[in-house]
mmCIF file of all heavy atoms in Angstrom:
data_model
loop_
_atom_site.group_PDB
_atom_site.id
_atom_site.type_symbol
_atom_site.label_atom_id
_atom_site.label_comp_id
_atom_site.label_asym_id
_atom_site.label_seq_id
_atom_site.Cartn_x
_atom_site.Cartn_y
_atom_site.Cartn_z
ATOM 1 N N ARG A 23 11.640 55.923 122.301
ATOM 2 C CA ARG A 23 10.954 57.302 122.176
ATOM 3 C C ARG A 23 9.875 57.269 121.181
ATOM 4 O O ARG A 23 8.821 57.833 121.364
ATOM 5 C CB ARG A 23 12.007 58.428 121.939
ATOM 6 C CG ARG A 23 12.460 58.989 123.248
ATOM 7 C CD ARG A 23 13.249 60.272 122.996
ATOM 8 N NE ARG A 23 14.518 59.974 122.356
ATOM 9 C CZ ARG A 23 15.634 59.683 122.859
ATOM 10 N NH1 ARG A 23 15.658 59.670 124.224
ATOM 11 N NH2 ARG A 23 16.725 59.449 122.212
ATOM 12 N N VAL A 37 -6.708 69.254 117.559
ATOM 13 C CA VAL A 37 -5.805 70.039 118.260
ATOM 14 C C VAL A 37 -6.531 70.721 119.538
ATOM 15 O O VAL A 37 -5.947 70.718 120.606
ATOM 16 C CB VAL A 37 -5.418 71.343 117.330
ATOM 17 C CG1 VAL A 37 -4.584 72.361 118.139
ATOM 18 C CG2 VAL A 37 -4.563 70.717 116.153
ATOM 19 N N GLU A 58 -0.394 91.853 132.143
ATOM 20 C CA GLU A 58 -1.241 91.813 133.345
ATOM 21 C C GLU A 58 -2.338 90.688 133.366
ATOM 22 O O GLU A 58 -2.934 90.482 134.320
ATOM 23 C CB GLU A 58 -1.879 93.146 133.667
ATOM 24 C CG GLU A 58 -0.837 94.298 133.790
ATOM 25 C CD GLU A 58 0.155 94.075 134.976
ATOM 26 O OE1 GLU A 58 -0.412 93.662 136.056
ATOM 27 O OE2 GLU A 58 1.295 94.247 134.764
ATOM 28 N N GLN A 69 -13.538 81.037 127.727
ATOM 29 C CA GLN A 69 -13.490 82.153 126.740
ATOM 30 C C GLN A 69 -13.416 81.615 125.291
ATOM 31 O O GLN A 69 -14.025 82.265 124.414
ATOM 32 C CB GLN A 69 -12.271 83.090 127.025
ATOM 33 C CG GLN A 69 -12.439 83.885 128.237
ATOM 34 C CD GLN A 69 -11.336 84.892 128.429
ATOM 35 O OE1 GLN A 69 -10.685 85.330 127.460
ATOM 36 N NE2 GLN A 69 -11.136 85.370 129.742
ATOM 37 N N GLY A 85 -14.572 74.612 108.176
ATOM 38 C CA GLY A 85 -13.802 74.812 106.893
ATOM 39 C C GLY A 85 -13.551 76.245 106.586
ATOM 40 O O GLY A 85 -12.610 76.445 105.782
ATOM 41 N N ASN A 140 -8.116 97.278 117.066
ATOM 42 C CA ASN A 140 -8.436 98.726 116.766
ATOM 43 C C ASN A 140 -7.356 99.694 117.242
ATOM 44 O O ASN A 140 -7.332 100.180 118.339
ATOM 45 C CB ASN A 140 -9.785 99.044 117.355
ATOM 46 C CG ASN A 140 -10.176 100.518 117.082
ATOM 47 O OD1 ASN A 140 -9.483 101.202 116.289
ATOM 48 N ND2 ASN A 140 -11.387 100.900 117.487
ATOM 49 N N PHE A 242 8.551 80.187 128.701
ATOM 50 C CA PHE A 242 8.617 81.568 128.310
ATOM 51 C C PHE A 242 8.657 81.721 126.755
ATOM 52 O O PHE A 242 9.515 81.121 126.171
ATOM 53 C CB PHE A 242 9.804 82.227 128.863
ATOM 54 C CG PHE A 242 9.961 83.695 128.611
ATOM 55 C CD1 PHE A 242 9.509 84.705 129.543
ATOM 56 C CD2 PHE A 242 10.553 84.183 127.470
ATOM 57 C CE1 PHE A 242 9.626 86.021 129.215
ATOM 58 C CE2 PHE A 242 10.691 85.589 127.168
ATOM 59 C CZ PHE A 242 10.238 86.416 128.094
ATOM 60 N N ALA A 248 2.778 83.791 115.080
ATOM 61 C CA ALA A 248 2.500 83.703 113.607
ATOM 62 C C ALA A 248 3.533 82.724 112.893
ATOM 63 O O ALA A 248 3.272 82.471 111.778
ATOM 64 C CB ALA A 248 2.598 85.073 112.990
ATOM 65 N N LEU A 253 4.310 79.203 117.613
ATOM 66 C CA LEU A 253 2.954 78.652 117.830
ATOM 67 C C LEU A 253 3.044 77.284 118.533
ATOM 68 O O LEU A 253 2.159 77.081 119.356
ATOM 69 C CB LEU A 253 2.355 78.415 116.398
ATOM 70 C CG LEU A 253 0.995 77.584 116.263
ATOM 71 C CD1 LEU A 253 -0.113 78.399 116.985
ATOM 72 C CD2 LEU A 253 0.650 77.217 114.836
ATOM 73 N N TYR A 254 4.033 76.459 118.200
ATOM 74 C CA TYR A 254 4.122 75.188 118.892
ATOM 75 C C TYR A 254 4.573 75.312 120.357
ATOM 76 O O TYR A 254 4.367 74.265 121.125
ATOM 77 C CB TYR A 254 4.936 74.288 118.139
ATOM 78 C CG TYR A 254 4.045 73.646 116.991
ATOM 79 C CD1 TYR A 254 3.783 74.323 115.796
ATOM 80 C CD2 TYR A 254 3.452 72.328 117.153
ATOM 81 C CE1 TYR A 254 3.015 73.856 114.832
ATOM 82 C CE2 TYR A 254 2.636 71.840 116.127
ATOM 83 C CZ TYR A 254 2.404 72.628 114.973
ATOM 84 O OH TYR A 254 1.550 72.154 114.045
ATOM 85 N N THR A 265 2.331 76.025 131.887
ATOM 86 C CA THR A 265 1.904 77.442 131.910
ATOM 87 C C THR A 265 2.806 78.148 130.740
ATOM 88 O O THR A 265 3.959 77.926 130.604
ATOM 89 C CB THR A 265 2.298 78.060 133.167
ATOM 90 O OG1 THR A 265 1.465 77.503 134.225
ATOM 91 C CG2 THR A 265 1.976 79.615 133.081
ATOM 92 N N ARG A 270 5.525 89.826 123.914
ATOM 93 C CA ARG A 270 5.493 90.299 122.492
ATOM 94 C C ARG A 270 6.717 90.198 121.733
ATOM 95 O O ARG A 270 6.863 90.009 120.691
ATOM 96 C CB ARG A 270 4.916 91.683 122.391
ATOM 97 C CG ARG A 270 3.434 91.812 122.866
ATOM 98 C CD ARG A 270 2.934 93.244 122.670
ATOM 99 N NE ARG A 270 1.401 93.301 122.920
ATOM 100 C CZ ARG A 270 0.810 94.330 122.894
ATOM 101 N NH1 ARG A 270 1.342 95.526 122.527
ATOM 102 N NH2 ARG A 270 -0.531 94.331 123.104
ATOM 103 N N VAL A 303 23.414 91.062 128.560
ATOM 104 C CA VAL A 303 22.922 91.762 129.625
ATOM 105 C C VAL A 303 24.016 91.921 130.812
ATOM 106 O O VAL A 303 24.563 90.891 131.243
ATOM 107 C CB VAL A 303 21.672 91.004 130.211
ATOM 108 C CG1 VAL A 303 21.214 91.670 131.563
ATOM 109 C CG2 VAL A 303 20.563 91.077 129.195
ATOM 110 N N ALA A 331 28.677 79.422 124.888
ATOM 111 C CA ALA A 331 28.566 80.409 125.864
ATOM 112 C C ALA A 331 27.207 80.389 126.663
ATOM 113 O O ALA A 331 27.213 80.615 127.868
ATOM 114 C CB ALA A 331 28.642 81.729 125.066
ATOM 115 N N PRO A 400 4.688 61.537 110.059
ATOM 116 C CA PRO A 400 3.322 62.018 110.223
ATOM 117 C C PRO A 400 3.218 63.581 110.390
ATOM 118 O O PRO A 400 2.171 64.128 110.510
ATOM 119 C CB PRO A 400 2.727 61.273 111.373
ATOM 120 C CG PRO A 400 3.601 60.227 111.626
ATOM 121 C CD PRO A 400 4.909 60.602 111.223
ATOM 122 N N GLY A 420 8.684 58.523 97.949
ATOM 123 C CA GLY A 420 9.921 57.905 98.137
ATOM 124 C C GLY A 420 10.033 56.500 97.497
ATOM 125 O O GLY A 420 8.940 55.886 96.976
ATOM 126 N N ASP A 437 29.574 59.967 111.202
ATOM 127 C CA ASP A 437 29.542 58.405 111.157
ATOM 128 C C ASP A 437 28.428 57.814 111.982
ATOM 129 O O ASP A 437 27.997 56.552 111.724
ATOM 130 C CB ASP A 437 30.879 57.876 111.552
ATOM 131 C CG ASP A 437 32.043 58.220 110.576
ATOM 132 O OD1 ASP A 437 31.654 58.472 109.411
ATOM 133 O OD2 ASP A 437 33.159 58.280 110.982
ATOM 134 N N VAL A 479 27.205 86.555 101.765
ATOM 135 C CA VAL A 479 26.430 86.308 100.754
ATOM 136 C C VAL A 479 27.196 86.261 99.381
ATOM 137 O O VAL A 479 28.387 86.797 99.305
ATOM 138 C CB VAL A 479 25.232 87.320 100.466
ATOM 139 C CG1 VAL A 479 24.434 87.440 101.774
ATOM 140 C CG2 VAL A 479 25.885 88.667 100.143
ATOM 141 N N VAL A 490 32.372 86.821 96.888
ATOM 142 C CA VAL A 490 31.841 86.746 98.253
ATOM 143 C C VAL A 490 31.821 88.120 98.875
ATOM 144 O O VAL A 490 32.688 89.029 98.720
ATOM 145 C CB VAL A 490 32.876 85.944 99.130
ATOM 146 C CG1 VAL A 490 32.579 85.993 100.630
ATOM 147 C CG2 VAL A 490 32.930 84.409 98.587
ATOM 148 N N ARG A 496 30.187 95.346 114.205
ATOM 149 C CA ARG A 496 31.376 95.381 115.175
ATOM 150 C C ARG A 496 30.750 95.348 116.621
ATOM 151 O O ARG A 496 29.691 95.689 116.869
ATOM 152 C CB ARG A 496 32.045 96.745 115.047
ATOM 153 C CG ARG A 496 32.824 96.983 113.758
ATOM 154 C CD ARG A 496 33.559 98.319 113.850
ATOM 155 N NE ARG A 496 34.335 98.671 112.699
ATOM 156 C CZ ARG A 496 33.845 99.576 111.785
ATOM 157 N NH1 ARG A 496 32.640 100.087 111.894
ATOM 158 N NH2 ARG A 496 34.604 99.830 110.673
ATOM 159 N N ALA A 497 31.631 94.613 117.411
ATOM 160 C CA ALA A 497 31.332 94.700 118.871
ATOM 161 C C ALA A 497 31.410 96.124 119.381
ATOM 162 O O ALA A 497 32.211 96.899 118.829
ATOM 163 C CB ALA A 497 32.261 93.782 119.617
ATOM 164 N N GLU A 513 44.103 84.318 106.331
ATOM 165 C CA GLU A 513 44.926 83.447 107.156
ATOM 166 C C GLU A 513 44.014 82.159 107.452
ATOM 167 O O GLU A 513 44.635 81.066 107.619
ATOM 168 C CB GLU A 513 45.174 84.155 108.455
ATOM 169 C CG GLU A 513 45.921 83.326 109.474
ATOM 170 C CD GLU A 513 46.221 84.070 110.781
ATOM 171 O OE1 GLU A 513 45.947 85.300 110.801
ATOM 172 O OE2 GLU A 513 46.786 83.398 111.783
#
Side-chain angles (χ1 to χ4, degrees):
R23 269 191 292 274
V37 176
E58 299 300 316
Q69 289 190 23
N140 181 3
F242 181 94
L253 175 63
Y254 279 78
T265 296
R270 291 185 175 180
V303 173
D437 291 337
V479 300
V490 176
R496 294 185 182 97
E513 182 181 352

